[in-house]
Amino acid sequence: MTPKEAFQKIHSEISVMPTEKLSLREAFGRVLREDIVAQEAIPPFDNSAMDGFAVRADDLTQLPTDLHLEGELAAGEAPNIEVKPGACIRIMTGAQIPLGADAVVPLEWTTEINQETVRIRRKPERGTYIRRAAKDASQGTTVVKSGTRITPPVIGMIAAAGYDKIKVGKSPSVAVIVTGNELHLDMTSPLPPARIYDANGPGLFAQVLEAGAIVPDSEVARDNRDDLADQIRRGMDADVMVISGGVSVGKYDFVQEVLERMEFEKRFWRVRQRPGGPMLFGVLGSQLVFGLPGNPVSSAICFQQYVRPTLLTMMGAVEIHPPRMKAKLGSSVRKKAGLYHFVRGKAKWRESGQLIVHTTGPQASNLYSSLQHANCLIHLEEEAIDPSEGEEVIITPLPWAVIG
Ligand code: AMP
Ligand code: MG
């Protein structure tokens, strides 16, 4: 099975979560499930872009011209005075443009002669420094579409459109189970011989949160059938189960065997990819179950490539994959023919405008640093053979990284 076929198999099992109403403060990271329609025009009225004076442009054909100052308008104040010929009104940024005025002269273009007289030194055109009503959006138009992931500027736009509560997809719950006798969990005692700290539990937890989902249960199972079965049963109420480790062919890899004794229906095991080759996927009742290989980089990349888009789809997102970009390889890469490689890369813009990508060094799937220092994945398709320096490759940015 290729990564593409594997994701199609997963995708065909996904059901979209029901919706709930949340306040804008709670909605960050979720997916919008209604169209947002501007309740009023944005902005709702013509207003000043500068602190200065509201004027009639026709008064200012000759410069300098002295205008009679007839009042002031602060932001939020409804104008109740009209600007007459030969007059002006002091106006602040964001204040509504008063009747009669058709331009704003910024303070910097003026000299205040006395309390009642302002000398204008530079000529505005009609409309200068006026921000027109509805320039951002007209009343009644859709400003954010259902299916959009809710980011800070999306929240700002929804708020500007006049909403305080919105319909979003419920967050899928993800039971995270890490497995292994080698995992040392008692952090009050020193690391015993032959043991390691659990990297995947906290790492996967964070990846679930980044996707906008939640982790009600995070458990550790030892490499024996009973403990594993217990932990799996405990996690069965969640919408999704992510198990790390124990899915390969080792003598103590019991995940598949234990699942199969339950009503687990396997959809696939093994994908022609590196890292993450022994990945397992199936359904347990209505729950989607991912068995991710235990090497930390395998588990994190399988999550990124398969679990994250699954969670986003469940939440109702339209765009579930990061954008694909073209970059030039900064150094040659070795790969295994027939396998799809997700190489950890660090992409950087050259001054020439060329995007160049280097690998993060040794790519063994136990080397967490190869992922920690990456800002993207380099995609080398099955048929590619050892791409060399200067070749064009496809990369996808990692959701937590910035390409600088
Ligand atoms: P497994 O898939 O169980 O055969 O594990 C493959 C490799 O990943 C082994 O070297 C494990 O020690 C390591 N590993 C498994 N689970 C974790 C974990 N939670 N944190 C760090 N390393 C792990
Ligand atoms: Mg193991």
Side-chain angles (χ1 to χ4, degrees):
M1 177 147 322
T2 65
K4 203 171 167 192
E5 288 162 349
F7 188 69
Q8 278 164 1
K9 276 241 185 298
I10 296 168
H11 201 256
S12 69
E13 300 288 347
I14 300 176
S15 343
V16 176
M17 302 284 295
T19 61
E20 61 184 329
K21 277 245 169 189
L22 289 187
S23 76
L24 290 183
R25 290 193 174 202
E26 300 164 308
F28 175 63
R30 301 295 198 89
V31 175
L32 186 65
R33 292 282 288 279
E34 63 178 324
D35 284 345
I36 298 298
V37 174
Q39 300 298 296
E40 305 284 343
I42 313 173
F45 47 85
D46 289 354
N47 66 92
S48 177
M50 296 292 266
D51 293 323
F53 298 93
V55 300
R56 305 170 79 105
D58 283 351
D59 284 347
L60 301 168
T61 45
Q62 282 185 342
L63 290 175
T65 295
D66 291 352
L67 296 176
H68 189 242
L69 181 60
E70 294 197 337
E72 74 169 42
L73 278 169
E77 212 177 330
N80 54 7
I81 17 176
E82 189 179 337
V83 179
K84 305 257 164 52
C88 67
I89 290 175
R90 188 188 299 279
I91 193 164
M92 315 307 156
T93 305
Q96 185 168 352
I97 302 294
L99 270 180
D102 57 11
V104 170
V105 177
L107 271 183
E108 294 81 345
W109 298 4
T110 67
T111 309
E112 288 179 58
I113 303 296
N114 57 45
Q115 302 241 340
E116 292 176 1
T117 313
V118 180
R119 180 158 300 162
I120 311 291
R121 293 181 275 101
R122 218 173 123 179
K123 180 177 149 41
E125 302 303 320
R126 248 189 220 119
T128 293
Y129 288 124
I130 293 182
R131 303 190 290 208
R132 291 297 175 195
K135 180 90 179 180
D136 229 357
S138 315
Q139 186 179 31
T141 55
T142 299
V143 291
V144 190
K145 284 216 163 101
S146 183
T148 303
R149 183 99 195 266
I150 299 173
T151 60
V154 167
I155 291 181
M157 191 61 177
I158 295 173
Y163 290 66
D164 63 345
K165 285 201 167 67
I166 50 172
K167 214 194 224 185
V168 300
K170 284 196 168 172
S171 282
S173 56
V174 183
V176 174
I177 302 172
V178 298
T179 69
N181 286 349
E182 70 276 37
L183 302 179
H184 175 66
L185 302 165
D186 173 14
M187 301 302 277
T188 61
S189 67
L191 190 66
R195 299 294 192 89
I196 59 172
Y197 296 117
D198 167 26
N200 296 355
L204 289 169
F205 186 98
Q207 283 186 284
V208 172
L209 295 192
E210 186 284 322
I214 51 172
V215 182
D217 294 301
S218 178
E219 305 290 348
V220 179
R222 295 308 182 182
D223 290 324
N224 67 72
R225 296 176 180 86
D226 290 343
D227 192 26
L228 193 54
D230 280 351
Q231 301 310 337
I232 290 174
R233 266 188 227 103
R234 291 177 69 155
M236 275 170 64
D237 288 340
D239 300 303
V240 174
M241 182 177 289
V242 173
I243 307 173
S244 110
V247 288
S248 197
V249 292
K251 188 171 168 199
Y252 302 101
D253 288 340
F254 294 131
V255 169
Q256 207 169 156
E257 182 189 323
V258 167
L259 279 169
E260 266 159 10
R261 280 204 233 143
M262 303 175 169
E263 64 273 36
F264 178 70
E265 293 171 41
K266 181 164 83 182
R267 292 292 182 261
F268 63 80
W269 177 48
R270 290 186 161 153
V271 182
R272 293 217 307 273
Q273 63 183 9
R274 181 173 284 177
M279 179 179 160
L280 171 73
F281 172 75
V283 295
L284 192 55
S286 61
Q287 185 179 54
L288 306 180
V289 180
F290 294 84
L292 311 183
N295 273 306
V297 176
S298 311
S299 119
I301 287 185
C302 287
F303 189 99
Q304 165 66 17
Q305 286 302 121
Y306 302 100
V307 187
R308 183 178 191 267
T310 297
L311 296 173
L312 290 176
T313 305
M314 292 174 82
M315 290 158 65
V318 173
E319 280 179 26
I320 56 170
H321 297 295
R324 292 165 72 83
M325 303 158 83
K326 284 181 184 165
K328 240 188 172 89
L329 259 187
S331 46
S332 59
V333 184
R334 310 247 351 208
K335 87 173 273 288
K336 196 155 163 71
L339 290 187
Y340 193 117
H341 281 228
F342 301 104
V343 181
R344 279 74 74 203
K346 179 130 192 171
K348 217 175 159 49
W349 292 101
R350 282 235 181 105
E351 258 173 42
S352 63
Q354 173 74 55
L355 187 58
I356 186 123
V357 64
H358 288 270
T359 73
T360 51
Q363 294 287 308
S365 57
N366 62 320
L367 300 175
Y368 219 133
S369 55
S370 74
L371 185 59
Q372 184 215 331
H373 296 122
N375 61 8
C376 66
L377 296 178
I378 307 170
H379 294 251
L380 304 177
E381 309 239 338
E382 293 83 348
E383 57 275 14
I385 22 177
D386 293 353
S388 42
E389 183 184 337
E391 242 175 75
E392 193 174 80
V393 288
I394 296 291
I395 64 167
T396 51
L398 288 163
W400 49 81
V402 174
I403 296 181

